[in-house]
Amino acid sequence: MKEKIEVDIRVPNQTRYLSLIGKIGEEIARTLKKYKGDRNELAYHINIVLTEAMANAIRHANEGDPRKEVHITIAIKQKCLHIRVFDEGQGFDISSLPAPDFEDLDEHGRGVYIIRSLMDRVSYKKYNGGHVLEMVKTLS
Amino acid sequence: MIVKIEESGPVVLIEVKEERLDAHNSGELKSQMLNLFEEGKNSIVVDLQEVRFVDSSGLGALVSGFKNASARNGNLKLSGLQPQVKSMFELTRLHRVFEIFPTAQEALASF
């Protein structure tokens, strides 16, 4: 039987929901029947990329406006995990961000690097008046 | 954020009593550390034994504390990193920046 899962969540544009969304991502990773890798590691990685992507959407794209919302979809299809984080803002072009300088002890600038390191494909596009950050990981 | 702050001679031990250190609560840890620096306390151990999850904001707060302590001729050392927390330090190469100890006692004794 094919394993198809799709979860669609909307939360207010507030960091207090990071933990909830991260945990939902973790639980989805733990339910995957066919994944042969380290399930705990995958769960942790999904938690972290969801947290980083949502925090970017809340603070940068949606500019901390509590009236806005963040929309997240998590889907398993064709042996891939697809995570999409939609914002309602002007966007922040992740492709323009340089890789962090490991020698320079900057307080910021590690989030997108973490996402890129843990996922196989990452893109950021205009969508419906806002933007969508799409992250894909192959589950084989 | 729940933290326990304890002075051990000239060193201050901050125990983070949270499962997550992330964009939601890391600002509070930063403020707690800034309060200590303002009081002239520049030798700090942050114990992360109870922290299961750290994101880039949590790492950033610790980097901020480390830079502030170093600029004041002090130091900020870490203890009690769980394996997945440690993996985030390794991914971002920060394990080369901080002195990391298995327990708070060992970190305190190293000053």
Side-chain angles (χ1 to χ4, degrees):
Chain A
M1 199 174 76
K2 276 192 181 171
E3 195 167 21
K4 195 178 170 197
I5 299 172
E6 193 154 349
V7 179
D8 193 304
I9 316 158
R10 287 169 195 268
V11 290
N13 192 51
Q14 295 167 30
T15 53
R16 62 190 300 260
Y17 297 101
L18 291 174
S19 163
L20 169 70
I21 302 302
K23 278 178 189 158
I24 291 170
E26 280 207 353
E27 289 306 317
I28 288 173
R30 290 187 209 284
T31 61
L32 295 176
K33 283 183 193 151
K34 291 176 187 161
Y35 185 65
K36 292 187 179 69
D38 182 338
R39 208 171 288 260
N40 285 333
E41 187 182 77
L42 178 70
Y44 194 84
H45 288 174
I46 293 176
N47 191 342
I48 191 100
V49 300
L50 276 165
T51 300
E52 297 292 351
M54 262 188 79
N56 273 341
I58 291 168
R59 290 195 167 155
H60 301 305
N62 287 349
E63 296 166 322
D65 184 343
R67 291 165 300 181
K68 291 186 174 175
E69 68 175 15
V70 184
H71 175 202
I72 300 112
T73 64
I74 307 169
I76 314 284
K77 48 188 175 188
Q78 291 159 349
K79 293 181 183 171
C80 282
L81 168 74
H82 297 255
I83 297 174
R84 292 187 183 91
V85 177
F86 301 81
D87 63 58
E88 299 177 31
Q90 295 304 309
F92 60 103
D93 184 6
I94 58 162
S95 59
S96 69
L97 292 176
D101 179 353
F102 293 119
E103 303 306 317
D104 179 25
L105 269 187
D106 199 327
E107 197 182 319
H108 304 283
R110 292 180 183 83
V112 171
Y113 165 76
I114 290 173
I115 292 173
R116 286 191 189 284
S117 302
L118 301 180
M119 301 298 282
D120 296 320
R121 290 201 306 277
V122 181
S123 67
Y124 188 70
K125 292 174 197 153
K126 281 192 178 172
Y127 182 87
N128 213 7
H131 290 80
V132 56
L133 174 66
E134 182 171 25
M135 306 176 279
V136 181
K137 190 166 182 73
T138 308
L139 300 172
S140 55
Chain B
M1 143 164 290
I2 305 167
V3 293
K4 187 177 160 198
I5 299 181
E6 220 172 57
E7 294 195 28
S8 170
V11 187
V12 179
L13 171 64
I14 303 177
E15 292 174 90
V16 180
K17 302 281 188 191
E18 297 277 348
E19 190 192 301
R20 286 171 64 100
L21 179 57
D22 64 11
H24 183 57
N25 61 11
S26 58
E28 290 175 56
L29 176 63
K30 222 170 112 178
S31 312
Q32 296 275 7
M33 290 189 289
L34 284 174
N35 289 341
L36 293 173
F37 296 133
E38 277 171 19
E39 292 169 20
K41 293 165 186 158
N42 304 322
S43 299
I44 295 175
V45 172
V46 180
D47 183 65
L48 298 175
Q49 201 189 327
E50 294 187 24
V51 177
R52 194 182 70 84
F53 178 96
V54 66
D55 72 354
S56 64
S57 297
L59 295 172
L62 295 168
V63 166
S64 159
F66 175 82
K67 280 167 57 173
N68 272 304
S70 305
R72 293 167 167 81
N73 294 319
N75 203 344
L76 184 147
K77 305 185 185 190
L78 303 175
S79 63
L81 273 62
Q82 294 191 23
Q84 284 170 327
V85 168
K86 197 170 183 195
S87 74
M88 285 298 114
F89 280 81
E90 288 166 352
L91 180 64
T92 54
R93 315 287 195 274
L94 287 172
H95 63 303
R96 297 178 190 163
V97 172
F98 292 96
E99 281 185 62
I100 300 172
F101 295 84
T103 65
Q105 286 67 35
E106 286 166 88
L108 290 169
S110 73
F111 275 92

